[in-house]
Amino acid sequence: MVQPGSELHRIALKRLQDRGVTLDEIAELVYNLQQPYLSEITMELCLENVEAVIRKREVQNAILTGIELDVLTEEGKLSSPLQEIIKEDEGLYGIDEILALSIVNVYGSIGFTNYGYLDKTKPGVIGRLDDHTESNETHTFLDDIVGAIAAAAASRVAHDNPSISDIMQ
Ligand code: MG
C-alpha cells in the first residue's frame, strides 16, 4: 500500500534516527557551509532548512531506498557481486552518489558544488559514517544521502539569500 505523504515523512525521519543520524548533525554541516557567506546564519535556520528538505517526497524516497540497501548489505542479504561491492563501498560503484543526486537536484545547481565539497572533505557526521574500520556497519548509501540533504539545505538557504547565491555559483 502506498503510504500517505506524512506517513512516508515520519518513516524517513525514523530510519535516519535508527541509523544514528540526527538532524542537528546535518544542520551543523549546513551551518559550516554557509557561515562564510552569511555571518548572521543560525543553527536554528539551518535546522529549519534541513527539515524542509526532508519534507520533499523525492528526498524521502531516496532516504528509504538508500538505507534499505545499507541494512540489507549489513545483514548479508544481497546477491553476489552486489553484496561485496556495497559492503566494500567500492569507489567505482557510484550508484550511491547517483541516488544522492536525486536529493541535490531538488534545489538546483548550487547544490552540486556543495555536495561535491562535502563528498571530498567528509566533515562531521559524514566522516563518521564513512569510517568502516571500527564496525560491521554499512553506510555506503547513507553518507551520500546525508551529504546531499546538507547540500540541498544549504542551497535552500542560498536561494532565500540571493546575495550569497552569486558568490556560490
Ligand atoms: Mg557512499
Side-chain angles (χ1 to χ4, degrees):
M1 192 186 90
V2 178
Q3 304 282 355
S6 59
E7 179 69 357
L8 195 63
H9 180 229
R10 191 188 63 75
I11 294 170
L13 286 172
K14 172 88 168 61
R15 293 293 263 166
L16 283 174
Q17 193 186 20
D18 289 349
R19 300 297 284 169
V21 173
T22 68
L23 300 193
D24 283 334
E25 286 175 306
I26 306 179
E28 218 165 275
L29 299 174
V30 179
Y31 183 90
N32 291 329
L33 280 172
Q34 295 297 44
Q35 205 278 331
Y37 308 102
L38 195 68
S39 54
E40 65 269 34
I41 196 167
T42 61
M43 272 294 289
E44 199 184 358
L45 179 76
C46 294
L47 187 60
E48 270 171 38
N49 279 278
V50 168
E51 284 168 347
V53 168
I54 298 176
R55 278 195 294 272
K56 291 266 184 185
R57 177 87 191 219
E58 303 93 308
V59 177
Q60 295 159 8
N61 287 337
I63 291 170
L64 292 188
T65 306
I67 289 179
E68 192 75 15
L69 285 165
D70 281 347
V71 170
L72 290 173
T73 304
E74 248 173 47
E75 294 170 350
K77 287 184 175 162
L78 299 185
S79 315
S80 190
L82 194 59
Q83 171 68 34
E84 293 77 25
I85 290 170
I86 298 180
K87 185 78 206 165
E88 298 305 318
D89 198 2
E90 261 183 38
L92 292 177
Y93 176 58
I95 308 300
D96 42 347
E97 284 92 0
I98 299 294
L99 181 69
L101 290 180
S102 69
I103 296 175
V104 177
N105 262 332
V106 171
Y107 291 104
S109 63
I110 304 172
F112 288 93
T113 316
N114 285 329
Y115 175 70
Y117 175 77
L118 292 173
D119 188 39
K120 203 171 149 71
T121 58
K122 303 193 188 305
V125 55
I126 300 176
R128 193 185 78 222
L129 293 171
D130 188 59
D131 183 10
H132 298 257
T133 52
E134 296 287 311
S135 70
N136 195 36
E137 292 173 11
T138 301
H139 298 299
T140 297
F141 282 86
L142 186 55
D143 61 346
D144 295 286
I145 286 169
V146 166
I149 293 170
S155 309
R156 203 172 180 279
V157 172
H159 282 299
D160 287 345
N161 297 273
S163 61
I164 62 169
S165 11
D166 294 345
I167 302 166
M168 297 187 61
Q169 269 168 354

